[in-house]
Amino acid sequence: MEILLWLVPPFLVALLAMAWVGWVSREGRGAVDADEAVRRMGVALEKDPPPIWATDSTQQPRTRSTGVAIRRPER
């Protein structure tokens, strides 16, 4: 049991650091006013979503990976 006593100081330091960070960050830094948040949500909901079928025609269909590595043939 005595051999584990060296763990007590790091544990206490970590505990104090967590408490300090919790205390410092308790204020809502970067918080948005409720009215502003509602306005932003309304603007986002008014936008038309992109159509599901709209894809880039230049993209090639991806082949499904089987998880098996295949070596290239030697030239």
Side-chain angles (χ1 to χ4, degrees):
M1 184 68 181
E2 291 177 12
I3 198 165
L4 295 178
L5 288 178
W6 67 273
L7 287 173
V8 173
F11 177 76
L12 291 177
V13 169
L15 194 64
L16 286 173
M18 287 187 285
W20 180 74
V21 168
W23 180 263
V24 169
S25 64
R26 74 189 185 288
E27 294 179 21
R29 291 196 170 94
V32 179
D33 183 37
D35 294 333
E36 177 66 17
V38 169
R39 186 193 67 77
R40 289 181 185 179
M41 178 68 80
V43 169
L45 290 174
E46 287 176 359
K47 291 182 181 178
D48 290 332
I52 296 172
W53 61 87
T55 59
D56 188 8
S57 62
T58 61
Q59 291 181 346
Q60 297 178 357
R62 296 183 69 187
T63 57
R64 184 171 173 221
S65 173
T66 60
V68 178
I70 301 174
R71 292 181 188 234
R72 292 183 182 168
E74 293 183 19
R75 294 180 183 180

